[in-house]
């Protein structure tokens, strides 16, 4: 069974959000204690890379602390099939969100 960190770093994780017919993809990539967050709006051929760049550390099984600038946020992360469930949500004020 793969370790929590290796699952986290196994691929770029994508969260999709739609508003007024436009789909925005947020792409999150974890690697060696750092993360990057990109935004993509394919309908308008927009790609904004490295919108957020920061660090992360695994605090325990399923618990990660992410930080950028002076902001630190503790998240609970679980994996189900090929999805990553994050609580609380990273991209909104929702209680959770799914990344694929």
């Amino acid at each position: 069974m793969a370790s929590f960190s290796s699952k986290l770093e196994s691929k770029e994780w994508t969260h999709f959000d739609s508003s007024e017919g436009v789909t925005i993809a947020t792409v999150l990539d974890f690697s060696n204690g750092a993360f990057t967050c990109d935004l993509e709006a394919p309908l308008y051929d927009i790609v904004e890379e490295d919108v957020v760049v920061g660090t992360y550390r695994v605090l325990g099984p399923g618990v990660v602390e992410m930080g950028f600038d002076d902001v630190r946020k503790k998240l609970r992360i679980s994996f189900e099939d090929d999805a990553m469930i994050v609580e609380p949500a990273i991209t909104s004020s929702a209680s959770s969100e799914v990344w694929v």
Side-chain angles (χ1 to χ4, degrees):
M1 180 177 218
S3 73
F4 178 80
S5 292
S6 65
K7 282 184 183 180
L8 198 60
E9 295 182 0
S10 66
K11 66 179 190 174
E12 290 183 337
W13 296 96
T14 306
H15 174 72
F16 297 96
D17 188 25
S18 294
S19 177
E20 299 180 21
V22 176
T23 299
I24 303 292
T26 305
V27 180
L28 190 57
D29 187 25
F30 294 93
S31 181
N32 298 318
F35 73 89
T36 58
C37 183
D38 304 335
L39 295 177
E40 302 174 1
L43 181 64
Y44 297 107
D45 198 29
I46 296 172
V47 175
E48 292 292 329
E49 295 182 347
D50 298 338
V51 173
V52 177
V53 177
T55 60
Y56 79 93
R57 64 185 179 134
V58 176
L59 301 177
V63 181
V64 172
E65 182 182 69
M66 294 177 70
F68 62 95
D69 295 331
D70 291 331
V71 177
R72 301 213 72 70
K73 188 171 186 178
K74 192 183 294 186
L75 306 166
R76 292 195 121 335
I77 296 177
S78 59
F79 298 98
E80 190 173 298
D81 298 323
D82 289 330
M84 176 174 72
I85 296 93
V86 179
E87 301 174 80
I90 298 171
T91 64
S92 71
S93 60
S95 61
S96 68
E97 63 191 7
V98 177
W99 295 70
V100 293

